[in-house]
Amino acid sequence: MRRNTSIVLLSVGHACVDIYQGAVAALVPFFIAERAYAYSVASGIVLAASLLSSVAQPVFGALTDRWAMPWLLPVSTLLGGVGIALSGLSGSYPLTLAFVAISGLGVAAYHPESARVARIAGQGSHRAMSWFSTGGTIGFALAPPMVAAVMATGGLSRTPLLAVPALAGAAICLPVVRALRRGQAAGSRMTVPAGSDDTASFVKLSLAVAFRSIAFIGLSTFISLYARQRLGGGTAAGTAALTVLYLGGAIGSVLGGSLAARWDRVTVSRWSYLITAAAIAGVVWVPGPALFLFVALTSGGLYVPFSLQVTLGQDYLPSRVGTAGGITLGLAVSIGGLAGPALGSLADATSLHTALAPLVLMPVLSWLLLRTLSEPDVPRPRTEAPAREDAADAALGPTPADSR
């Protein structure tokens, strides 16, 4: 399988999985409408998906650094879809939390292995990783209109229809899994520099990603309700705002890879966070339809550094790329959901406007952390394969742990 084909398939598969991350926030207004949940109770649903995912991602990252587990791609995709499909079938709040948590576990299992495979398939290319990240962003963007369309057919009882992307995503993963197995059978090897981990920089980067995540998940949880309150446009206004928040990220992800080719990744990420802070301030305080413009700017600003941070994390921890990918692509992103109940409680006690205001500070904190970082000088991974193998096939070899 050629490199471009592998990246395309991985990107589409990533979209199918991240639909279920976006679906959690997209379902919140419908849980509130049908079950009369308070903001804090509804945000607990987002917390359920994030909490288990946050605990599980480092575990899966460590496992994928030790053993190649490409079978996780289709299995975790199905698990993510099944959880969301079942979430609307029971009126029981604990069962709803359990099903959403199952979906979060599937998402947690997917990201470390997929980040490892994408790095190998793209041969360490920043642009390849940006396309892979863009796939996930598109999945986020597709979630609100998809959820709205399904809910329009019969409300929460129709959530089983949301399993369709998981079935498609699992099928798309299979050719990549087969290519990985062929590469392993051919004896291809992936080499990484030994003893070059920069753990301190990686921790700072992870904290920056976590602050970014608090801003993104806080907005994705409440922007739909906030737009409906601010603009009085009903469900359509809320769905549009959430879609803009997710779709703008697709542009930001691709732009990030292009900007990093001209400037270094750390510099691009710093400027992006400064712009994001101003954009979130516009979301909170600028009145009228300009809300959509500032939501789009916020989305782009949050996603320009997203794929860059994934590759930065892998370059700070070159001997543990599964762990690095699991944290920067998964754990640090999921951890933002832990702030959801606090924002929900603040919204219940005051207003959504007041609850969203602290989010302006999150990208500022990310910017401060990135000021302490420098571009890592780490050699790119090299694939060593038998001469009879095509170089693109060899790019889908075993894990770094296999070569050791």
Side-chain angles (χ1 to χ4, degrees), residues 90-157:
S90 172
S92 165
Y93 185 66
L95 275 179
T96 299
L97 295 181
F99 290 137
V100 170
I102 288 171
S103 179
L105 180 63
V107 171
Y110 178 85
H111 281 108
E113 179 68 0
S114 65
R116 180 192 72 85
V117 172
R119 178 179 173 87
I120 295 172
Q123 298 175 325
S125 164
H126 302 331
R127 190 157 293 182
M129 185 60 76
S130 74
W131 281 108
F132 173 70
S133 299
T134 298
T137 306
I138 291 173
F140 264 107
L142 291 175
M146 184 177 296
V147 167
V150 169
M151 294 301 100
T153 67
L156 292 172
S157 64

Side-chain angles (χ1 to χ4, degrees), residues 14 25 32 40 86 101 110 153 171 211 254 260 296 307-308 312 325 337 355 367 373:
H14 194 189
I32 291 174
S40 56
L86 297 175
Y110 178 85
T153 67
F211 287 126
V254 175
S307 64
L308 306 183
L312 274 171
W367 173 75
L373 298 179

Side-chain angles (χ1 to χ4, degrees), residues 56-76:
Q57 297 238 28
V59 176
F60 283 111
L63 290 174
T64 58
D65 280 332
R66 188 170 181 83
W67 298 288
M69 295 190 289
W71 54 266
L72 269 179
L73 273 62
V75 171
S76 60

Side-chain angles (χ1 to χ4, degrees), residues 211 215 277 280-281 285 356-368:
F211 287 126
I280 295 177
W285 286 295
L356 293 179
L359 299 182
V360 176
L361 296 176
M362 297 301 107
V364 175
L365 294 174
S366 296
W367 173 75
L368 289 172

Side-chain angles (χ1 to χ4, degrees), residues 81-365:
V82 166
I84 293 298
L86 297 175
S87 66
L89 296 185
S90 172
S92 165
Y93 185 66
L95 275 179
T96 299
L97 295 181
F99 290 137
V100 170
I102 288 171
S103 179
L105 180 63
V107 171
Y110 178 85
H111 281 108
E113 179 68 0
S114 65
R116 180 192 72 85
V117 172
R119 178 179 173 87
I120 295 172
Q123 298 175 325
S125 164
H126 302 331
R127 190 157 293 182
M129 185 60 76
S130 74
W131 281 108
F132 173 70
S133 299
T134 298
T137 306
I138 291 173
F140 264 107
L142 291 175
M146 184 177 296
V147 167
V150 169
M151 294 301 100
T153 67
L156 292 172
S157 64
R158 302 291 183 165
T159 53
L161 294 175
L162 295 173
V164 173
L167 298 174
I172 289 167
C173 289
L174 293 178
V176 180
V177 172
R178 287 194 293 268
L180 281 163
R181 288 175 177 168
R182 285 197 300 270
Q184 291 167 351
S188 60
R189 287 292 182 266
M190 190 77 174
T191 61
V192 294
S196 55
D197 289 352
D198 184 352
T199 305
S201 293
F202 180 76
V203 170
K204 292 176 184 177
L205 176 70
S206 299
L207 288 173
V209 178
F211 287 126
R212 171 216 175 268
S213 173
I214 291 172
F216 178 74
I217 294 184
L219 285 169
S220 65
T221 302
F222 296 115
I223 193 65
S224 178
L225 296 166
Y226 184 63
R228 290 162 69 174
Q229 286 185 6
R230 285 278 301 273
L231 303 176
T235 302
T239 299
L242 191 57
T243 301
V244 169
L245 179 66
Y246 290 162
L247 193 58
I251 299 171
S253 293
V254 175
L255 184 60
S258 299
L259 292 174
R262 182 170 182 179
W263 296 283
D264 66 84
R265 292 168 290 177
V266 175
T267 299
V268 171
S269 298
R270 286 175 189 157
W271 281 103
S272 296
Y273 282 128
L274 282 180
I275 293 170
T276 301
I280 295 177
V283 170
V284 176
W285 286 295
V286 175
L291 170 73
F292 292 109
L293 172 62
F294 285 107
V295 169
L297 290 173
T298 297
S299 177
L302 287 172
Y303 269 97
V304 161
F306 187 61
S307 64
L308 306 183
Q309 290 167 155
V310 176
T311 59
L312 274 171
Q314 291 175 329
D315 284 348
Y316 286 137
L317 291 185
S319 69
R320 290 175 285 167
V321 296
T323 299
I327 292 175
T328 54
L329 196 61
L331 170 62
V333 174
S334 301
I335 211 167
L338 303 181
L343 292 174
S345 297
L346 181 59
D348 286 331
T350 56
S351 67
L352 276 176
H353 182 272
T354 302
L356 293 179
L359 299 182
V360 176
L361 296 176
M362 297 301 107
V364 175
L365 294 174

